[in-house]
Amino acid sequence: MSGFNWNDLRYFLDVARTGKLIVSAKRLRADHTTVSRRIAALEEALNVTLFDRRPDGFSLTPEGERLRTVAEEMERAAIAAQGLVGDADRSMSGTVRIGAPDGFGSQFLAAHIGRLCDRFPDLEVQLVATPRVFSLSRREADIAISLSRPTEGRLVVRKLTDYHLRLYASADYLAAHAPIETRADLAGHRFIGYIDDLIYTPELDYLAAVGSIAPHLKSSNLIAQLTATLAGAGLCILPRFIADRAAHLMPVLGHDVRITRSFWLIVHEDLRALARVAATADFIAETVLRRQAEFLPD
């Protein structure tokens, strides 16, 4: 134990979560050789093998699993200390990573997040707007916006808002195709939707609310669907907070096709006391509340 370095646990814990040296190196802002060397030093100090090295990544050995439990307890204690002492003056600096669905992140939050940066100039805000589920236990984000409320884990959850979706098409598409006056008229039209096996949450599987429809154009990305709809590629179900602001998009069948979903804000319990995380979470919630008419228009 004479060569044991507490700081090496930080490198160990991140690789345990990602399973990849290069990924962890980027997250830790270090060279991958440095990460590898720190883990090797930890194994030598403890006289144990912590990872099975494989071509597809690193996996924990039984000894590594036991150390992970201890390392996570130490991480929680360090975060708690920062919250109690390091944040005692409520100074706002450091990094906050927000994981959000592509539509909410790029079409709503990105338009307002600058005010948070203005308010706290020393805060680095990382907005990851991509269609996926973020694992807060693996520290993939400090704050996650989700379409579903999690039921497991040490998480603090609050509902941001419900939001409405409608069926839309471009004015050019509607002018060039048969009129749509009832749901029965939809049968002869082209639809845009998600790729079935890439739907990352069941809340996005909503074409059944319209009828037995098989989309002709599919994308895992909502912004790609929006762009295709604007270009006249077909009809698409889109959130109103996005589509109602898009020029040349027209709602189809009005209130006859209306779907409601929800956004949830999630923070890991270990991070809730950090000033930068708490302030960012409050900013998002306040911004959504202030702009709620965009999510739930009359």
Side-chain angles (χ1 to χ4, degrees):
M1 289 290 289
S2 60
F4 180 77
N5 184 337
W6 297 101
N7 196 46
D8 290 343
L9 289 173
R10 182 166 64 96
Y11 295 86
F12 159 78
L13 193 52
D14 204 274
V15 175
R17 287 166 173 160
T18 67
K20 306 284 185 180
L21 274 182
I22 293 178
V23 174
S24 286
K26 289 180 179 178
R27 283 163 46 118
L28 295 166
R29 299 182 180 182
D31 186 270
H32 75 277
T33 58
T34 299
V35 179
S36 178
R37 186 172 64 252
R38 300 299 288 265
I39 290 174
L42 182 61
E43 289 179 320
E44 182 178 356
L46 297 175
N47 193 29
V48 69
T49 299
L50 299 171
F51 291 100
D52 288 325
R53 277 82 165 169
R54 299 172 180 169
D56 60 343
F58 282 41
S59 61
L60 288 170
T61 63
E63 293 78 13
E65 290 284 2
R66 288 195 287 272
L67 180 61
R68 177 176 181 163
T69 300
V70 176
E72 287 180 335
E73 289 294 334
M74 294 174 66
E75 180 187 55
R76 281 193 283 272
I79 293 171
Q82 184 179 359
L84 291 172
V85 180
D87 277 357
D89 60 356
R90 309 308 287 172
S91 62
M92 292 294 298
S93 62
T95 301
V96 175
R97 176 171 292 186
I98 307 164
D102 46 348
F104 181 88
S106 62
Q107 296 291 301
F108 177 77
L109 191 54
H112 301 285
I113 202 67
R115 291 193 298 106
L116 178 67
C117 298
D118 291 339
R119 190 179 301 174
F120 305 112
D122 295 328
L123 184 66
E124 178 184 309
V125 180
Q126 299 179 353
L127 176 57
V128 185
T130 187
R132 55 167 293 196
V133 174
F134 293 87
S135 173
L136 299 187
S137 63
R138 294 200 299 267
R139 300 298 189 260
E140 293 177 347
D142 301 308
I143 298 170
I145 309 300
S146 175
L147 292 168
S148 59
R149 178 172 189 162
T151 57
E152 298 179 353
R154 301 176 58 250
L155 305 172
V156 180
V157 183
R158 58 173 135 170
K159 187 175 183 177
L160 286 177
T161 185
D162 291 330
Y163 68 98
H164 291 159
L165 304 97
R166 277 185 179 176
L167 186 63
Y168 290 88
S170 71
D172 289 344
Y173 177 90
L174 293 174
H177 293 80
I180 304 171
E181 297 178 356
T182 68
R183 289 193 180 216
D185 296 330
L186 295 173
H189 287 268
R190 194 166 58 232
F191 276 82
I192 301 165
Y194 284 95
I195 302 171
D196 296 349
D197 60 329
L198 295 181
I199 294 178
Y200 70 95
T201 181
E203 284 73 19
L204 295 179
D205 190 11
Y206 38 54
L207 272 181
V210 179
S212 299
I213 294 168
H216 294 74
L217 174 60
K218 298 182 178 182
S219 174
S220 62
N221 186 282
L222 179 63
I223 307 309
Q225 294 180 29
L226 171 66
T227 303
T229 308
L230 285 166
L235 294 92
C236 186
I237 294 177
L238 296 167
R240 292 196 64 182
F241 72 88
I242 296 174
D244 285 355
R245 294 187 291 107
H248 310 302
L249 279 190
M250 307 290 292
V252 176
L253 296 182
H255 290 283
D256 188 42
V257 177
R258 189 172 80 168
I259 300 167
T260 301
R261 293 292 186 266
S262 304
F263 285 125
W264 302 85
L265 187 148
I266 309 165
V267 177
H268 197 282
E269 191 174 273
D270 293 344
L271 303 181
R272 66 183 303 184
L274 293 183
R276 64 181 182 272
V277 174
T280 301
D282 287 343
F283 170 84
I284 295 171
E286 291 163 4
T287 301
V288 170
L289 181 61
R290 186 163 46 84
R291 313 284 300 197
Q292 193 166 42
E294 297 176 27
F295 297 95
L296 296 169
D298 295 334

